Amino acid sequence: MTDAHNSQSILLIGATGRSGQKILHQLLINPTKPKIHVFCRNSSKLDPDYQKRCSTIIQGDARSVTDIERAVSVSDADTIIVAIGNGDKLGKTDTRTANAKAVATVMQQPGMEHVKAVVLSSTGAGSNDIIVGFGIGKLIEYQLRHILKDHDGQESAFLDSGLADRTVIIRPTSLTDGKANGKFVEFDDKVKSPTIHIDRGDVAVYAVQQACSSSFHGKTVNITGEK
């Protein structure tokens, strides 16, 4: 269980995925000690030690408005972190879009005006282009076209619903594992990213910093690893 001195309650959606697990770890060691609630399809995939340290484990369908509403109600969450994905699959999917629509619908309901969201998207989504020399960026965008379309829908679900001021959208560059160094850099749309990779662990640090910040404000940000 988490320390009761902090009234912040965070609901993590997608905790069993690779990025979600890193975020859960960062939440558990965050000095602000928020109450942590996990929403997942199958809780057996969660580390038993992590399960013991969470306030609530809620099972359900991330695409379901009813299940998301129940999770927010049970957790009394004031912040939702969305780390849902589809593994390494590159085919057509609407997993992220469907979940985002469900979360956005709940956030728009009466009595939910205080709820904020931190959403993991991807570089190349929305107004951002993947800029790499010799046209390689366009080739990457084509390879990831189905994933990026899903992230476009994910971002639009929040931004087109009047939730921009309550939503932080994080667009990391290509994700790595096992190379975290606690360093990252933000960069603007339409410019070449300083590097092309960032570790999931560093994305998790950034996401939790945003979620636990006392000066939360909505924004869309591109991040990558530091050279």
Side-chain angles (χ1 to χ4, degrees):
M1 293 290 181
T2 53
D3 195 316
H5 84 270
N6 187 343
S7 61
Q8 185 179 21
S9 182
I10 296 179
L11 176 65
L12 173 59
I13 300 175
T16 59
R18 282 178 292 174
S19 294
Q21 290 179 54
K22 298 292 187 183
I23 291 172
L24 179 55
H25 173 72
Q26 288 298 323
L27 285 170
L28 289 168
I29 65 173
N30 190 275
T32 66
K33 297 183 186 256
K35 299 180 183 70
I36 304 166
H37 309 268
V38 166
F39 180 92
C40 57
R41 186 172 51 200
N42 185 356
S43 62
S44 67
K45 294 182 179 180
L46 280 174
D47 183 293
D49 179 59
Y50 283 1
Q51 290 192 42
K52 293 176 184 177
R53 297 167 66 189
C54 292
S55 296
T56 311
I57 307 294
I58 306 163
Q59 293 192 138
D61 179 2
R63 305 165 68 100
S64 166
V65 173
T66 300
D67 285 2
I68 296 296
E69 183 178 17
R70 171 173 56 86
V72 174
S73 177
V74 167
S75 64
D76 195 24
D78 50 63
T79 307
I80 301 171
I81 300 179
V82 178
I84 196 166
N86 200 34
D88 293 323
K89 298 176 181 177
L90 299 179
K92 291 183 179 181
T93 178
D94 68 345
T95 299
R96 300 167 185 83
T97 299
N99 166 254
K101 288 180 178 179
V103 173
T105 296
V106 172
M107 289 176 66
Q108 293 176 85
Q109 293 179 356
M112 296 292 180
E113 296 86 357
H114 65 292
V115 179
K116 306 178 291 291
V118 175
V119 182
L120 293 194
S121 182
S122 171
T123 186
S127 57
N128 178 246
D129 292 327
I130 299 176
I131 302 176
V132 183
F134 306 105
I136 295 174
K138 293 299 180 182
L139 181 62
I140 295 172
E141 287 182 346
Y142 178 77
Q143 183 182 27
L144 300 177
R145 63 193 183 282
H146 299 307
I147 304 302
L148 294 177
K149 181 179 179 180
D150 196 21
H151 277 303
D152 286 344
Q154 178 187 49
E155 292 189 10
S156 294
F158 292 98
L159 300 180
D160 295 346
S161 300
L163 299 173
D165 62 332
R166 289 195 274 147
T167 304
V168 170
I169 295 174
I170 303 171
R171 296 173 178 159
T173 51
S174 181
L175 298 172
T176 61
D177 291 293
K179 298 180 181 180
N181 60 12
K183 298 178 181 180
F184 40 77
V185 60
E186 300 180 3
F187 64 98
D188 295 330
D189 286 345
K190 309 302 181 184
V191 301
K192 185 177 180 180
S193 63
T195 64
I196 61 173
H197 296 105
I198 184 169
D199 195 84
R200 292 178 196 276
D202 293 331
V203 175
V205 170
Y206 186 89
V208 171
Q209 285 180 357
Q210 299 302 310
C212 296
S213 173
S214 60
S215 57
F216 184 102
H217 63 278
K219 61 181 179 179
T220 299
V221 59
N222 310 300
I223 64 170
T224 191
E226 191 174 281
K227 290 183 178 179

